[in-house]
Amino acid sequence: MNRSDPTVQPVPRSVVEQVDAADSTLQNPKSAVLSIGSNLGNRLETLQGSVDALEDTPGLRVKAVSPVYETEPWGVEPGSQPTFFNAVLLVRTTLPPSSLMERAHAVEEAFARVRDDRWGPRTLDVDIVAYQGVVSDDPALTLPHPRAHERAFVLVPWYDVDPAAELPGHGPVAELLAHVGRQGVRQRADLDLRLPD
């Protein structure tokens, strides 16, 4: 094997560090937690497409993607809708919360999200769960997400990618999850979402 062939050389640590640091070179990036879900169409393809679209957003880097979970729809009669695929993303972004929300809505719309019914089925749901410890009761964007602390389909995947996470105003995700439980949230080990290259 030719060890000088760049295609088989390990990436130098300095390059890895530069790539990892790239999201910290612009305007003090913030950490945010996003929840994604789909229960219409090709759910896995839609979730992967949303991860890719978010990564393509200027000023936003997807740093971690949780396993995929299959969950019952929230707030409706059991069996009245298809099950959801859900996941949580950890991101770093220079976008303020309002711009991040606009981008989340644009990604939803790209996947034909319809907002007719509050608890209706959806091709894609992208929610900002938390943003750099910000607490806001602005009705346009309440932070953290006002129901995240009681939703296992958010807490389970979030705990998977960040066991030490805390939900501002509510405490450690591990404690919230212990209270809520994992009922109705089933990991799909046969499915996975990829971080964009």
Side-chain angles (χ1 to χ4, degrees):
M1 181 173 73
N2 180 359
R3 293 198 177 277
S4 65
D5 182 347
T7 63
V8 296
Q9 290 292 313
V11 178
R13 183 167 181 78
S14 60
V15 173
V16 173
E17 289 171 354
Q18 284 179 334
V19 171
D20 286 345
D23 62 355
S24 65
T25 59
L26 297 173
Q27 305 171 0
N28 188 24
K30 309 294 185 191
S31 297
V33 180
L34 305 180
S35 173
I36 58 175
S38 172
N39 76 334
L40 291 178
N42 187 327
R43 297 167 293 173
L44 185 66
E45 187 176 284
T46 296
L47 293 188
Q48 184 63 59
S50 70
V51 172
D52 296 343
L54 288 163
E55 175 68 16
D56 284 344
T57 303
L60 189 152
R61 296 278 73 81
V62 179
K63 304 303 285 183
V65 181
S66 77
V68 176
Y69 284 86
E70 188 164 13
T71 66
E72 291 297 325
W74 176 267
V76 297
E77 279 293 315
S80 65
Q81 291 183 24
T83 57
F84 272 87
F85 285 174
N86 290 99
V88 160
L89 313 178
L90 304 183
V91 305
R92 297 277 286 166
T93 184
T94 58
L95 300 175
S98 59
S99 297
L100 183 58
M101 183 180 71
E102 287 172 10
R103 180 58 178 160
H105 287 172
V107 171
E108 289 177 343
E109 288 165 15
F111 286 90
R113 163 72 186 265
V114 177
R115 294 179 176 276
D116 289 340
D117 181 2
R118 182 177 185 194
W119 304 116
R122 56 209 59 184
T123 52
L124 180 63
D125 196 17
V126 181
D127 285 328
I128 302 173
V129 177
Y131 182 101
Q132 192 73 27
V134 171
V135 176
S136 167
D137 59 4
D138 182 341
L141 177 57
T142 304
L143 289 170
H145 191 287
R147 291 172 296 281
H149 65 286
E150 56 192 31
R151 292 181 166 177
F153 68 82
V154 172
L155 298 173
V156 171
W158 188 5
Y159 179 80
D160 271 353
V161 286
D162 188 3
E166 296 212 10
L167 183 62
H170 295 281
V173 168
E175 291 180 12
L176 297 172
L177 182 54
H179 178 72
V180 170
R182 294 172 174 259
Q183 186 172 355
V185 180
R186 181 171 64 94
Q187 184 173 347
R188 289 293 302 265
D190 57 321
L191 307 174
D192 66 299
L193 297 172
R194 303 174 314 278
L195 276 173
D197 295 331

